[in-house]
């Protein structure tokens, strides 16, 4: 039996999904999009000072090797021949910034994570230099000047880390977002590694012109970033290089397999959810929450605090598609905080039990503005608050309020999206780890007052990276033609409360958000920096 099963599988495609809180390697059947096996490793986050968030680039890379190795072992136990893996795609946490030495392959500093706030004063100094009547940064990049994006993180590293300055002077430094660091390392590193990124990741650096699709000289001059450290920009679906993993024997089984897909995680989820039509949208619940709406081949600039970003470009000669994006910094991260900082749950799954016990937040509201507020406010001075507490409030209410916070933040973004696009979304397509939480999904439908639709296989980020890799020219094992895309089974959550109650809760939430703002002045946020 096993032998026949081996024969019918056909070509397989692997996907590295390197997220903020974990790394995964997943293997899909390219004909049916079925997930055959995967492995996941949690990633440590370091908080050296208040508002600082770092990760070790070597630990990230090691976690990728470990996930590849363990997944290959699991496939072996299923009698699936790993030589059928024809391509590998990469999807990654975006904006997180790495600078490394191209001669030794060693990182020159920890990765500065997208959530990190140390660049607040950098942002304030730079914003003084943008003329009020001509925000050339926003018109070229689609992004507001914020601590979130890579250019200001790279600027901070150049200003503050001697090892980085020295490596740039000696022409040894390479900059990249996580995709670039992984692809360079996986294609040989210091021995001929390919230094590249794709248009979706490049569009989050603040150095990339989303109209001309190239690094922008004027932006690089504005941020004083030497262009020689930047990776080559490629499409999201083409062969970048071949796997070379000599030091890790078991994973070496994938030696020579092309890496041929690369998408920032949110773009990957858009592709994995098959949102190829103008006006289709998805929301991903990860560390943060990201709602992307495909706007087709035109850039739509938001009037309501959303970002304009590159959705995908699926091939060197294929057109580029754009998206409007609403970014929420803290979603799943609030659950991790309840687990690691408050200790009111031992595992992330337990939050559902606690919330279920009370079925209401009993007037308690939680605004998790740990890294300021992102869309639609872009308010760096905000900090997290829990309000509406009484003697009756217990940890179950706080757990419920944390789940509600994720839903309210999504509602704020959906409202902005509806105003910008002019056509309200009739339902919301969702994915990401948190969508396994049924209470969260029901709450989301109630608070949005539209149905929430979830695919039965929630790993859409990895699926999108696999689709891009498998469809690349020279690989050609995955068809992206609408008629060939396999139908996905969906689970629907319909709103169950009355609209009036939904509105009352939402307007109280907005009151809480106002109270979270204006908390930090620049001076106090910098306290503790020697």
């Amino acid at each position: 039996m096993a032998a026949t099963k081996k024969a019918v599988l056909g070509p397989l495609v692997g996907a590295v999904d390197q997220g903020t809180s974990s790394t995964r390697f997943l293997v899909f059947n390219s004909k049916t999009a079925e997930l055959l096996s995967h492995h996941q490793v949690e990633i440590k986050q370091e908080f050296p000072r208040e508002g600082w968030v770092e990760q070790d680039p070597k630990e990230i890379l090691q976690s990728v090797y470990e996930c590849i190795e363990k997944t290959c072992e699991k496939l072996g136990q299923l009698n699936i021949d790993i030589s059928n893996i024809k391509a590998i795609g990469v999807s990654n946490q975006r904006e997180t910034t790495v600078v490394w030495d191209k001669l030794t392959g060693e990182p020159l500093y920890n990765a500065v994570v997208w959530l990190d706030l140390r660049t607040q004063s950098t942002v304030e100094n730079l914003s003084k230099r943008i003329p009020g009547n001509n925000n050339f940064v926003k018109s070229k990049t689609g992004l507001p000047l914020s601590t979130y994006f890579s250019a200001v993180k790279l600027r901070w590293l150049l200003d503050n880390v001697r090892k980085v300055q020295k490596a740039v002077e000696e022409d040894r430094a390479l900059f990249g977002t996580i995709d670039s660091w992984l692809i360079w390392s996986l294609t040989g590193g210091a021995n001929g590694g390919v230094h590249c990124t794709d248009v979706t990741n490049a569009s989050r650096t603040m150095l990339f012109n989303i109209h001309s699709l190239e690094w922008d000289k004027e932006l690089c001059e504005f941020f004083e970033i030497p262009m020689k450290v930047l990776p080559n920009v490629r499409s999201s679906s083409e062969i970048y290089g071949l796997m070379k993993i000599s030091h890790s024997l078991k994973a070496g089984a994938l030696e020579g397999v092309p890496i041929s897909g690369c998408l920032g995680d949110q773009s990957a989820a858009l592709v994995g959810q098959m949102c190829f039509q103008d006006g289709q949208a998805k929301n991903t619940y990860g560390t943060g929450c990201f709602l992307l709406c495909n706007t087709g081949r035109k850039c739509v600039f938001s009037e309501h605090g959303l970002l304009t970003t590159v959705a995908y470009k699926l091939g060197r000669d294929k057109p580029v598609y754009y998206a409007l994006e609403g970014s929420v910094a803290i979603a799943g991260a609030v659950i991790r905080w309840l687990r690691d900082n408050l200790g009111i749950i031992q595992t992330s799954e337990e939050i559902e039990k606690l919330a279920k016990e009370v079925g209401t937040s009993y007037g308690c509201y939680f605004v998790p503005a740990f890294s300021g507020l992102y869309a639609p406010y872009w308010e760096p001075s905000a900090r997290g608050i829990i309000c509406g507490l009484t003697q009756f409030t217990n940890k179950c209410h706080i757990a419920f309020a944390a789940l509600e916070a994720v839903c309210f933040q999504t509602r704020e973004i959906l409202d902005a999206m509806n105003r910008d696009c002019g056509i309200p979304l009739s339902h919301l397509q969702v994915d990401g780890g948190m969508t396994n939480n049924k209470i969260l999904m029901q709450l989301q439908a109630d608070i949005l007052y539209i149905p929430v639709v979830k695919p039965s296989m929630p790993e859409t980020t990895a699926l999108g990276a696999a689709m891009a890799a498998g469809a690349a020219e020279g690989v050609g094992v995955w068809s992206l033609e609408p008629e060939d895309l396999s139908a996905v089974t969906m689970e629907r959550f319909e709103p169950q409360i009355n609209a009036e109650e939904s509105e009352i809760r939402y307007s109280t939430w907005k009151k809480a958000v106002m109270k979270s703002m204006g908390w930090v002045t620049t001076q106090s946020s910098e306290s503790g920096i020697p």
Side-chain angles (χ1 to χ4, degrees), residues 26-87:
L26 306 90
V27 174
F28 296 92
N29 177 341
S30 67
K31 294 293 173 252
T32 61
E34 177 197 0
L35 174 59
L36 299 175
S37 186
H38 74 287
H39 188 76
Q40 177 167 359
V41 173
E42 198 168 291
I43 297 285
K44 279 202 283 296
Q45 296 184 19
E46 297 170 32
F47 307 99
R49 297 188 190 150
E50 195 210 336
W52 292 31
V53 190
E54 296 180 2
Q55 289 176 333
D56 177 354
K58 287 169 82 171
E59 183 197 339
I60 289 175
L61 181 59
Q62 208 39 57
S63 73
V64 170
Y65 288 133
E66 186 183 335
C67 288
I68 291 176
E69 207 163 287
K70 292 283 199 300
T71 304
C72 287
E73 281 171 21
K74 290 177 185 178
L75 289 169
Q77 288 157 10
L78 295 168
N79 281 328
I80 295 170
D81 189 347
I82 55 176
S83 69
N84 281 335
I85 297 175
K86 300 302 180 201

Side-chain angles (χ1 to χ4, degrees), residues 122 125 152-162 164-165 223-224:
T122 312
N125 294 335
V152 291
K153 301 178 192 301
L154 180 51
R155 184 66 257 148
W156 187 92
L157 291 168
L158 291 167
D159 287 338
N160 293 281
V161 181
R162 184 67 195 119
V164 172
Q165 294 162 354
F223 289 103
E224 295 175 61

